[in-house]
Every structure is written in C-alpha cells, then in structure tokens.
Amino acid sequence: MDAFTLDGLLGEIRPLVLGRTIARLRAAEAQAVLLELGGARDLRLWLDAGRTTCGLYALTREEARAAQDEAALAGRARQAVLLFRKHLEGRRVSGLRRVAGERIVVLEAGEAALALRLSGSPALTLAVGGEAQATVGDGAPAWPAVDAPERGWDRLDEGAFARAMDEATRSAASPVRAALEACPELGPQLARVAADGVAALRDRLRDPRPTLVAPGPLERCEDALLVAPDALALLPVAIERAGRAVLPQRSWTEAAGAFLQARLRGRRFDRRRRGLVAAAAGESRRLSRLLVHLERDLEGLPAAGDLRRQAEALLASDRTEAPGAGEVEVPDPYRAGARLRIRVDPGLGLPASADRLFDKARRMERARGQVAGRIVQAREALAAARAREAALRGARGEAVLDTLGAGTFPRPRVAPAGAGGPRHYLTSRGLSILVGRGARENHRLTFGVARPEDVWLHARDVPGAHVIVRDPEGRASAEDLREAAELAAFFSEAARQGLVEVHVTRRKHVRPARGAPGRVTVGHSDTLRVAPRDPEGRLRRR
C-alpha cells in the first residue's frame, strides 16, 4: 500500500475505532493479527505484515472468518501475539495515524502502540512506554516510528527527483528503488510510474480514487491468476497494465478488503497446489525406483528352462550318485558332445538333485510371473502418478485441487498418507470440520493445525480419524457437535456398528502419547452416542 491509499483508509477507519476498547486480539495468519473492538459487533481490524498482503484492513466478521488461515502460529510469532494480547486487550484505541513521510501506521492504546511498517521488509511491532517489545513479520522492528515530513510527497522536489533518476540510470541501479529512497510514500507501484516522470503522476494524485488492478473481475478470476506477486495492485489512481483490468471501487475499505481476500486466495491456492505437486512428485520418484528394482529382480532370477535342462541332464546321466564335491559334469541332453557343469548337494543322489532343480524351476516360474505382474502394476501406477502430477501443476483453481486431492482422478495404487490434506466439511450452520486421513495426518491436524479452543472428536476405544471442529468464537451448537461426531464414527473402524461412542473435548485437553503417531491421551471429555453417517450428499465439502 502507498501513503495515499493508507490515508484514504485511515480517513474511513479512524472514526470507527477511536475510543473503542480492544476486546480481543488474536492471530489471523502467520504474520497478521485481528482485533475485535467493543461496541463494533461487525467490525474486525486486520493488521498484516506479510510480504504480499501487508496493510491495514477493516473487515466484517464474516469476511474476517473467511480470510483467517487454519495454520497455527509457531515460535517467535506465537510469543509476540501473546505479548500483544497482554498489553492491548482491554485498552481503548486513542490514536490511529500514518507516520509523516513514511508508509508506517501506528495504532495507539494508552501507553502501548502497534506500529505496522509496509516499506522494505514489513513488520508489526508492539511498543510499550516507547520501547519495542515484540515483532511479527520478517523485517526489523517497526519502532521507533518517527515523523519525517521532509520525505513526504507534498515536499518532493521534481528537479532533485529527476536528477536521482538520471543517476540511477547511469549507475545501472534500480529506478524504482531510487524513487522509493527519494519518496518512501510512493510505494513500489507508484514508484514505477514516478520513475518515468513526476509531473503527470502529481496531476493524477490530486484526486485519488480507490482502484484495484487485477487479471479481471475478481469473482471470475481463476485462483492461479492471483498467485504472482504482481498479479494485484491496490492504488489511488488507475494505472493501465497489459493483461490487467482496472476495477474502480466504491470505498477505500471495500477496495482493501477485496485486495486482501484475493491475495489470500491466490497464496493459499499456490501453497496447497505446491504441497500436492510435491506429494505427487515424491510418489512418482518412489514408483520409478520401485520399477527399477523390480526389473533388476526379474533379470536376476534364473531362467526356469535352464533349470529344467540341468535336471533332465542329471536324470539322463548314467551316474547314480553325486560325488563328494558340490558340482558334477554330465552330458547335455540337447547338444551332442556338449557337457554341463551343475551344482548339486553332495549329500543327495542325482535323481534327488534333479527333483530339487525341477522344484526350483517351478518356483522361478511363479516368481517371474509375480514380478512381471508387479512390474505391470508399477508402470501403470507410475503413469497415473505422472499424469496426476502434471494435472496438479496445471491446475487453475481450488475445485480442481479438490478433485485431484480427493482421489477422483486416477491415482497410484499406493498413495502417501495425507497427500491431499485433511477432509474439510461444513456443518449445517457453516462451521468447519476437518477430518484426518491417517495416523501421521491425525497428529499434524490435532497438534499442528487445531487451536486450543477448537473441539476435538474421536471414536472411543477404536482406531479412527481425528476430527476437529473450528470454533474460534465458541459458537458450536449441539447440532454442530452431533454432525461432527457422526463423521468421527463414520471414519473409524466402528463404522459398521449401529451406535458409536465418541470422545468430545476441547483440543487443549488432548496430549500426544508415546508410541506411534496419532496416539493421544485425553485429559477429560464428554461422550456422544451417534450412528455413523456418510457425509457425502449431506454435508458441504470445502
């Protein structure tokens, strides 16, 4: 976001948040936080320090719920958010401003402040009493945030700016970087335009209007078109770009919300596609190695015909007993004058040795048939895996990933557990239900994805899927829990029983147990008795 867009947003958001209490603060993504404000039931303030999503956004409750990621925070970011909550929850918002001459937004709440820097490497920093305490994002702390009005757009000297551009051209430096150094308020998109001349841009910025530049109308854009870092731009003026549509917006708030949701849609699609492609590529490599080993095994098996020829040579020989040595030389019954050297058991006679060779020939024929059959299966599976990998690489939207990940596309006979991610359903009231696909994914779902207050379900005393109901606001009703329990019963080894008992508890009461992945200990839980029910055609898929 550039300073002009930020100023427009702040003008719309500031009256909505000043004087309101920060009722709740929580992580929205790995580098973003979400603020709920007292007395503003349908308003959520999203502060984002991600590289492609950095900015300030005012969202409705439903928009925020749809935008939130399911991935939990980890490490430094988790600790930072805990400090954010400690110092900001319960305090009134006393100020919301942009630092003059910079693309830095500061939200003040008493002696605490959140500083969001959008330039360079974005960062969101908590300061208390004027001292930086914790930071979310890849960049250095965004505090102290000091006004620098002399660096502002309204004080930009066009002559000095033109000389800086000429110097960048002579030194083969980046003109965009030089423009940003001369005027940080521009932001990368406007800096590209300013590098070609300030005067025309200055005229256009006299009347800034919220504008999105995108591959096309967002509701019709394929997810794959939103992946590239330059696929979207939120600007205060219309800038024509080849292959891009200019989409005027009614307000800065709506423009920013649409930008964030499109950005997140592209990023999550890309992340999911990369994971599925990596799993498919890994399966292709595994099957390629298996095929090589099988072909080597087939080459290494003795030919059944040679074994029978040796056995017949032993039977045709006039010798009745094998010598003490482990090898005999006998005439070849199929080539006049030729002789065969054959390994035999010194303790057996030649007829018994011949019987052993005939038996070995039969076993080699069976083995060759089995290995040859496995080779055919491996080749078919490899072709399917490569076709699936190619289809995933070319996927353009979530619907295609859902199809490929769900296994409706021809898949290898042995697929990696959890390659398609957890199953995702919606309850009748719209809450998300995640269902694990195996022991390792059960573990990842419960301890890597689920939040402490989410609801955890599992069929009692039988192997089965871990089931998570996303319940960030404590809205799960008895009907939601019953539908999730029916899923836990259906995806368990008790699925054929009439009624199944299902553990129901908060995720925070579940701990990993020693032993195989997916084993847990449950501190305490309630029990629901439900009939297993197939979700297909009954619950919506995501």
Side-chain angles (χ1 to χ4, degrees), residues 121-138:
S121 295
L124 178 64
T125 299
L126 169 72
V128 180
E131 298 291 331
Q133 300 293 320
T135 296
V136 169
D138 296 331

Side-chain angles (χ1 to χ4, degrees), residues 312-525:
E312 291 174 4
L314 292 179
L315 291 177
S317 172
D318 54 2
R319 301 175 59 173
T320 58
E321 293 184 357
E327 187 176 73
V328 298
E329 185 176 294
V330 295
D332 184 344
Y334 292 96
R335 291 178 58 194
R339 300 182 69 80
L340 296 176
R341 298 183 67 85
I342 305 172
R343 289 186 175 275
V344 296
D345 186 334
L348 295 178
L350 295 189
S353 297
D355 287 343
R356 181 170 290 185
L357 285 172
F358 281 125
D359 182 63
K360 185 176 181 181
R362 287 190 292 270
R363 285 188 283 111
M364 289 304 102
E365 280 186 336
R366 288 195 299 270
R368 278 183 169 275
Q370 292 169 354
V371 174
R374 292 188 63 194
I375 287 174
V376 171
Q377 291 179 353
R379 285 175 178 163
E380 292 174 353
L382 179 58
R386 286 174 174 169
R388 180 168 180 266
E389 180 184 348
L392 286 166
R393 291 185 187 278
R396 306 294 294 171
E398 283 283 351
V400 178
L401 296 187
D402 289 340
T403 299
L404 298 177
T408 57
F409 187 83
R411 299 190 63 181
R413 295 174 186 269
V414 182
R423 301 176 179 89
H424 192 170
Y425 300 93
L426 294 178
T427 69
S428 301
R429 299 176 62 249
L431 294 187
S432 288
I433 308 178
L434 303 177
V435 182
R437 296 175 185 261
R440 292 189 181 279
E441 188 175 88
N442 281 341
H443 183 89
R444 187 187 70 82
L445 177 61
T446 298
F447 302 109
V449 174
R451 301 185 181 97
E453 294 301 324
D454 289 340
V455 181
W456 182 90
L457 303 95
H458 189 280
R460 185 183 288 272
D461 300 328
V462 294
H466 290 197
V467 175
I468 297 295
V469 178
R470 306 314 301 264
D471 192 27
E473 299 179 354
R475 299 192 306 119
S477 67
E479 178 66 13
D480 295 318
L481 298 183
R482 183 187 61 76
E483 290 177 344
E486 289 170 348
L487 279 179
F490 180 80
F491 290 106
S492 76
E493 291 191 3
R496 296 184 181 276
Q497 297 180 15
L499 290 176
V500 179
E501 293 189 346
V502 177
H503 285 289
V504 182
T505 187
R506 295 287 174 179
R507 152 62 189 87
K508 62 186 177 182
H509 300 308
V510 182
R511 295 288 182 270
R514 292 184 178 180
R519 296 179 63 86
V520 300
T521 57
V522 182
H524 64 83
S525 68

Side-chain angles (χ1 to χ4, degrees), residues 202-398:
R202 191 184 293 277
D203 290 339
R204 299 172 71 180
L205 285 172
R206 287 195 176 97
D207 184 24
R209 301 286 181 89
T211 306
L212 277 176
V213 179
L218 295 179
E219 65 276 10
R220 297 202 298 267
C221 273
E222 294 177 319
D223 296 325
L225 294 176
L226 304 175
V227 170
D230 62 348
L232 296 161
L234 174 58
L235 300 168
V237 293
I239 297 178
E240 301 288 345
R241 292 174 54 191
R244 295 291 186 270
V246 175
L247 309 174
Q249 303 293 303
R250 292 184 298 180
S251 70
W252 298 100
T253 301
E254 287 187 14
F259 172 83
L260 174 66
Q261 292 177 51
R263 261 286 172 235
L264 293 175
R265 179 155 65 98
R267 187 165 73 190
R268 290 168 184 171
F269 166 78
D270 185 50
R271 184 166 56 208
R272 186 182 175 199
R273 181 173 62 178
R274 286 174 181 270
L276 288 171
V277 166
E283 182 67 5
S284 295
R285 290 192 297 270
R286 186 190 72 81
L287 289 167
S288 294
R289 292 192 296 268
L290 174 63
L291 185 58
V292 169
H293 293 319
L294 289 173
E295 289 173 343
R296 287 177 180 171
D297 289 346
L298 187 61
E299 291 175 0
L301 289 175
D306 292 342
L307 294 172
R308 286 195 176 90
R309 183 177 182 178
Q310 293 177 11
E312 291 174 4
L314 292 179
L315 291 177
S317 172
D318 54 2
R319 301 175 59 173
T320 58
E321 293 184 357
E327 187 176 73
V328 298
E329 185 176 294
V330 295
D332 184 344
Y334 292 96
R335 291 178 58 194
R339 300 182 69 80
L340 296 176
R341 298 183 67 85
I342 305 172
R343 289 186 175 275
V344 296
D345 186 334
L348 295 178
L350 295 189
S353 297
D355 287 343
R356 181 170 290 185
L357 285 172
F358 281 125
D359 182 63
K360 185 176 181 181
R362 287 190 292 270
R363 285 188 283 111
M364 289 304 102
E365 280 186 336
R366 288 195 299 270
R368 278 183 169 275
Q370 292 169 354
V371 174
R374 292 188 63 194
I375 287 174
V376 171
Q377 291 179 353
R379 285 175 178 163
E380 292 174 353
L382 179 58
R386 286 174 174 169
R388 180 168 180 266
E389 180 184 348
L392 286 166
R393 291 185 187 278
R396 306 294 294 171
E398 283 283 351

Side-chain angles (χ1 to χ4, degrees), residues 151-153 155-170 174-202:
R151 292 161 58 87
W153 170 253
R155 297 195 183 185
L156 181 64
D157 183 282
E158 292 186 21
F161 187 87
R163 289 191 293 274
M165 294 300 99
D166 291 340
E167 177 60 29
T169 302
R170 286 194 297 271
S174 168
V176 174
R177 183 171 297 174
L180 286 173
E181 289 176 356
C183 182
E185 290 185 349
L186 287 170
Q189 300 289 339
L190 294 183
R192 290 187 176 90
V193 180
D196 296 329
V198 174
L201 181 60
R202 191 184 293 277

